[in-house]
């Protein structure tokens, strides 16, 4: 019984490490800003520790939460770029949050996902 519990604990710990490291093969990217409106529209900022190619960036952006009927915009900031952090989280509304990541000094993102309320995705 003790060996079984030890094996289960080891398996759980291994799973947690794999999940934390992006176990789906996606590189790590930390969420550094998150705005959510009362209608569930979202603007999300991620920061990558190293430059990402398109395939890696798409894996990160695929993890962005989205709600049917609401808009989502998620961006990845490349290393060295200034990300909005708490300014994004504290934005007063969706328009202000979207404007924040589109204007200097927070316009240094390298990849963007947009999902409109109809569910149509655009990646650039």
């Amino acid at each position: 019984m003790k060996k079984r519990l030890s094996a289960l604990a080891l398996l759980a710990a291994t799973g947690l490490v794999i999940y934390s490291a992006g176990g789906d093969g996606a590189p790590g990217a930390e969420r550094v800003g998150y705005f959510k409106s009362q209608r569930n529209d979202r603007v999300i900022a991620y920061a990558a520790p190293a430059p990402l190619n398109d395939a890696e960036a798409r894996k990160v952006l695929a993890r962005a939460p989205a709600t049917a009927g609401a808009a989502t915009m998620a961006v990845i900031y490349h290393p060295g770029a200034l990300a909005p952090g708490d300014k994004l989280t504290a934005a007063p509304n969706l328009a202000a949050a979207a404007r924040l990541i589109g204007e200097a000094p927070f316009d240094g993102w390298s990849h963007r996902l947009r999902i409109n309320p109809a569910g149509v995705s655009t990646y650039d």
Side-chain angles (χ1 to χ4, degrees):
M1 179 71 169
K2 189 174 181 181
K3 285 184 180 183
R4 180 184 285 170
L5 289 176
S6 294
L8 287 175
L10 180 60
L11 183 60
T14 302
L16 182 60
V17 169
I18 291 170
Y19 175 78
S20 298
D24 59 356
E30 179 182 356
R31 189 170 75 186
V32 294
Y34 181 85
F35 171 83
K36 184 177 177 183
S37 73
Q38 291 180 348
R39 293 179 13 134
N40 294 323
D41 298 305
R42 293 176 175 89
V43 179
I44 307 156
Y46 295 96
L52 304 178
N53 64 37
D54 280 349
E56 293 168 333
R58 286 176 187 262
K59 285 183 180 180
V60 169
L61 294 172
R63 298 189 308 234
T67 300
T72 296
M73 184 183 313
V75 297
I76 299 173
Y77 287 89
H78 56 76
L82 186 60
D86 290 338
K87 289 183 180 186
L88 178 59
T89 304
N93 56 50
L94 178 63
R99 221 177 13 256
L100 188 66
I101 64 169
E103 298 175 349
F106 304 120
D107 58 348
W109 47 265
S110 56
H111 303 275
R112 177 175 62 179
L113 170 69
R114 292 175 286 166
I115 305 172
N116 70 21
V120 178
S121 297
T122 305
Y123 172 82
D124 52 2

